[in-house]
Amino acid sequence: MKIRLWILGLLATLLTGCSLDDDRDECCYDTMLYFHETVNGVDQFKRDINSLRHFVYDAEDNFHSEVEPDPDDLQRLMLNGLPEGEYTVITIANASDEHTRIVEGQTLEELKVLMTGKQADDSYANADQLFWNMQKFRIVKNEQRTILCALSNIHCHLHVYVKWRSLPYYVGNFTMRLYDVPADYLAGSYYTITRSSVYYFPVETKRMVEHSQEVPPYNFELDGELITHRWSDENIPTLQIFNGSESVTGLIPLGRAFSEWMWYPSRQPVQDYSIKVEIDDQGTAYVNRWLPGKILDWEDGGIIGR
């Protein structure tokens, strides 16, 4: 009901305040795409989105052009002057030059979103918090249309809290490292997740990379966050923690823990996970789900690591 009321309110806003004497007015477009990122019935676009890139493909899926957004109104994309016909627009949000490279290719099939930002040790730093949309529509002469476009969350957050049962002897900063992380997207292809709504996501390629993030200790505990591209049920990374070049834990296969907790990334429109790692005097890592600010029992945890 909240989403339905929000959409009705949005349409009322879009259909009022027109001035045919002003070429910039929203009533003077051929087709307008209106982007939103709705969480629990509330549009969080202004909170979460800082940039957009739009790639237009024609009816034969050939690359037509990249359309620049209005920097003063990122949510509305006015498409004027396109010939009649079928089009596909792919939109990528929050892509930075430092961490993301977009290859538009000559066809929709060749459009790729590539992870960049490799560090000196060949691992990748935290990725951009990307969003994506694919919109297919038809341009009809003398017909104006407004199309609502839902941005899909195509990044993953992993929050890792680490504590020791006894006072650790380590000094300096620590590194949290993820192995076998999905790196790239075929942004012109998609799959769906059906929950209360249908969500669309770009298809991942088979390229896997390592991620790492340096984390300073605080009161002999660690609290780190790794940001990557989306995971799938078949590709859930492995975690390991280091102090300098020394491994603090063994390999922690998160896929085993996720299966036990019934966390299925391929079914989750938003991937935001929090885990707690407790390390005993022998270096064994006990892993459990974690709610920030709350202490969970270890009843359903497991012994994972060395």
Side-chain angles (χ1 to χ4, degrees):
M1 178 61 72
K2 285 184 178 179
I3 294 176
R4 183 181 299 171
L5 291 173
W6 176 82
I7 291 175
L8 289 173
L10 172 62
L11 289 173
T13 300
L14 296 176
L15 295 175
T16 58
C18 296
S19 172
L20 298 179
D21 296 327
D22 188 347
D23 291 339
R24 298 169 300 172
D25 195 273
E26 61 201 30
C27 286
C28 302
Y29 60 85
D30 293 326
T31 296
M32 181 176 75
L33 305 186
Y34 188 92
F35 294 90
H36 63 96
E37 191 250 319
T38 303
V39 180
N40 296 324
V42 179
D43 186 6
Q44 300 291 359
F45 184 97
K46 288 181 169 57
R47 182 193 69 179
D48 294 339
I49 307 302
N50 56 58
S51 68
L52 293 174
R53 292 184 67 183
H54 307 284
F55 302 90
V56 182
Y57 294 81
D58 65 19
E60 286 72 43
D61 289 344
N62 294 315
F63 178 68
H64 181 278
S65 60
E66 180 175 355
V67 180
E68 294 293 329
D70 181 350
D72 296 324
D73 190 359
L74 287 178
Q75 283 195 265
R76 304 171 197 241
L77 180 67
M78 308 298 187
L79 296 171
N80 300 314
L82 288 175
E84 284 191 290
E86 303 283 345
Y87 292 91
T88 302
V89 172
I90 302 293
T91 297
I92 310 295
N94 297 343
S96 71
D97 293 337
E98 183 180 2
H99 297 295
T100 304
R101 183 163 70 94
I102 300 174
V103 181
E104 64 267 19
Q106 295 302 310
T107 67
L108 187 60
E109 186 179 39
E110 296 174 347
L111 176 62
K112 295 182 176 66
V113 177
L114 309 176
M115 183 181 295
T116 59
K118 186 180 288 189
Q119 304 177 107
D121 63 355
D122 286 339
S123 69
Y124 286 79
N126 274 350
D128 289 325
Q129 299 182 59
L130 298 176
F131 293 80
W132 169 93
N133 176 266
M134 170 187 281
Q135 191 64 54
K136 294 181 179 289
F137 57 92
R138 181 175 180 80
I139 296 287
V140 178
K141 186 176 180 180
N142 298 325
E143 180 179 300
Q144 295 178 344
R145 297 183 63 195
T146 296
I147 303 173
L148 301 183
C149 304
L151 289 165
S152 297
N153 186 318
I154 62 168
H155 60 276
C156 175
H157 290 262
L158 178 68
H159 307 265
V160 183
Y161 170 63
V162 181
K163 66 176 296 184
W164 282 263
R165 291 184 175 176
S166 301
L167 196 65
Y169 66 85
Y170 302 103
V171 296
N173 288 346
F174 292 76
T175 300
M176 296 180 179
R177 185 176 294 269
L178 286 174
Y179 302 97
D180 298 325
V181 180
D184 307 323
Y185 294 110
L186 300 173
S189 303
Y190 68 91
Y191 65 95
T192 61
I193 297 176
T194 303
R195 303 289 290 267
S196 56
S197 301
V198 179
Y199 300 86
Y200 296 82
F201 297 93
V203 173
E204 300 91 355
T205 71
K206 295 182 179 180
R207 185 170 80 100
M208 301 292 163
V209 299
E210 294 181 12
H211 268 263
S212 67
Q213 186 70 17
E214 189 173 272
V215 181
Y218 180 75
N219 287 339
F220 304 105
E221 297 176 349
L222 305 178
D223 189 351
E225 180 182 27
L226 296 124
I227 303 172
T228 71
H229 289 178
R230 278 181 63 88
W231 304 355
S232 67
D233 294 349
E234 295 75 26
N235 295 307
I236 299 175
T238 296
L239 173 68
Q240 192 168 21
I241 299 168
F242 290 85
N243 177 243
S245 60
E246 181 182 357
S247 61
V248 175
T249 69
L251 297 173
I252 302 174
L254 296 179
R256 186 190 309 171
F258 275 41
S259 177
E260 180 179 340
W261 303 333
M262 292 186 290
W263 286 0
Y264 302 114
S266 294
R267 307 179 195 177
Q268 295 172 321
V270 177
Q271 298 183 350
D272 194 339
Y273 307 112
S274 296
I275 65 171
K276 181 178 179 181
V277 180
E278 187 174 36
I279 303 172
D280 68 14
D281 296 340
Q282 288 71 47
T284 301
Y286 296 77
V287 181
N288 202 352
R289 294 167 293 183
W290 174 51
L291 294 177
K294 296 183 179 180
I295 302 300
L296 295 180
D297 293 332
W298 295 95
E299 294 176 359
D300 59 353
I303 298 176
I304 305 177
R306 69 187 185 202

